[in-house]
Amino acid sequence: MSALGVVRGRVWAFGDDVDTDVMAPWSVITRPFEERRSQVLHTRPEFARDVRPGDLIVAGRNWGCGSSREQAPENLQLLGVGAVLAESFGRIYFRNAIAIAFPNLVCPGIAAGVRDGDELEVDLDAATVHNLRTGTVLRAQPYTAEMAEIIRAGGLLEVLRRRFGGDDGLGVRLRR
Amino acid sequence: MAERVLARTSGRARVAAGEYVTASPDVLMCHEALTMCASQLRRVGVEHLAHPERVHVVLDHFFPAPTAAAARDHVRARRLVEQYGITNFWGHAGICHQVLVEHAAVRPGQLVVGTDSHSSTYGAVGAAGAGIGVTEMTYALATGELWFQVPPTVRVELVGTGGPALMAKDLVLALAGAHGTDVAQYAAIEFGGPVATAMSIAGRMTMANMGAELGAKFACFPADDRTVEYLRDAGAADIEPFGAEPGARYARAITLDTTGLAPHVACPHNPGNVRPVTEVAGTAVHQAFLGSCTNARLEDFAVAAAVLTGRRVHPRVRFVVTPASQRTFLDAVRAGYVATLVEAGAHITASGCGACPGGHQGLLGPGEVCVSSTNRNCVGRMGSTDSSVYRGSPAVVAAAAVAGELIDPRELWTGSTL
Ligand code: SF4
């Protein structure tokens, strides 16, 4: 069984109750990603401007609450965010992230000890989060076997493609 | 209730909280997201839906089409409905959740998934409804199945008496205010108690709808005699009551006493930022919005009309009224509510989601304040990122429309829908 792996990156720290509306505003929701890009998490405009592939998001409670729009985790994934660690997640956001194979872990205690710019190393299989600035290691809730299987497959579409045999230009993001 | 539903749909005798099951939803509701699902289906080589007869399609989020792009999308959606052999097409009937409930397309004990976060609304008639995203819907359309983790259940007991200007919305706002918008995160809510038993289906829909704002996966009322009667009137035969098994165990129990409860509002910019309306009275508003799947049913029209009878909308305020469905619209016309509202200065729009998600038919400009009967008020939800939304019951909205500012609706209306 292949591993989900380790992601390492610098942190963008957010608070509680960040809604999917601000990750994917309705006004640009049907536009191509390049036109949505600058609006992702628009309450903090420097995020979309300065985020680098591999960066991590750390958040408080209820990250991704609100609308079922899948563009919310998708936008973060397309911006190259390596993983999101939060005290808790909105449930539809969390399922959507699994469906598109974008790592998000529930990590109790993460919001208090981490700040902008910290460097974290996240072991997605062991569900450990190592803060390289403070030396602290936190335990996240590991994915269940069922969730991990979907993520390892590259998302639900990849699961379907294997089952139904379609093979015409799947996006790179689904292949990981 | 959730456990019973997930056990039946996954072919097991019983299931327990925390278990994983692969279940076959009875109803799959798609709004405009159908076109995105179809693109994904094509990419993975799926031409036929597993159960086209279980699929319901409603065009509501961009209806009537506000842009040429939306119109194009609708053309595609209509073509897909034919191509897939989907017979349950509710093209232009109103907001998805309202349409499916008022046509008895959803039954007690069913498992319903929808490409909309407020699919919890189906719990009003004893179904387990959960919102999902596009990729999960694509999977469910292709295979007829989806994974579920059986949620723990939070019992919410509603007790007490009604009070002046009190509506179901105040109860669910009070719950979010007192317990937080993640009180039922990953859990199912089961409403019960004397106030729940006495509540209309419209009120139950408001509360089940906003189960989403309490973090819930499902938010259910038991299907009782009132539910059976409602669904029979809506044209469904052989409906049976449905509820929890006797002696069902709950992960947590919460009681809300409605006695003496004041009308509440959720203040900008979070559904959990809830206060009694009296604490923010005097806040000037530019728009009042009566609309959405939360609160734009006949009962809500009746309350707004009661508040506005013999009064006028404040000159500063645009009072935008968007019926939840065409049927609601017609019923409100027949009952005379529409005439009362228009006479008072309200603007009635076509039924659909309208301004609720920041779509069309009444968006907000910079610096504007809206009082709204909807369910969400995050930054920029209804237009400019520099606007703000207060959310309250139809009584709160209508009273503010008259006063030009937030006021205690008890000053204008002393009825109650509880
Ligand atoms: S009315 Fe608003 S909350 Fe309801 S389905 Fe439409 S956009 Fe969503």
Side-chain angles (χ1 to χ4, degrees), chain B residues 301 319-323 329 337-339 341-342 346-351 361:
Chain B
F301 271 78
F319 186 19
V320 178
V321 178
T322 301
F329 200 167
Y337 302 145
V338 169
L341 296 178
V342 175
H347 294 267
I348 319 280
T349 77
S351 58
Q361 304 192 121

Side-chain angles (χ1 to χ4, degrees), chain A residues 25 35 62-63 81 92 97 100 103 110 122 124-125 138 141 151 154 160 163-164:
Chain A
E35 293 172 39
N62 218 6
W63 174 262
V81 173
I92 308 180
I100 64 171
I110 189 82
V122 184
L124 296 170
D125 300 282
L138 281 181
Q141 287 173 16
I151 295 175
L160 281 179
R163 183 159 155 187
F164 291 94

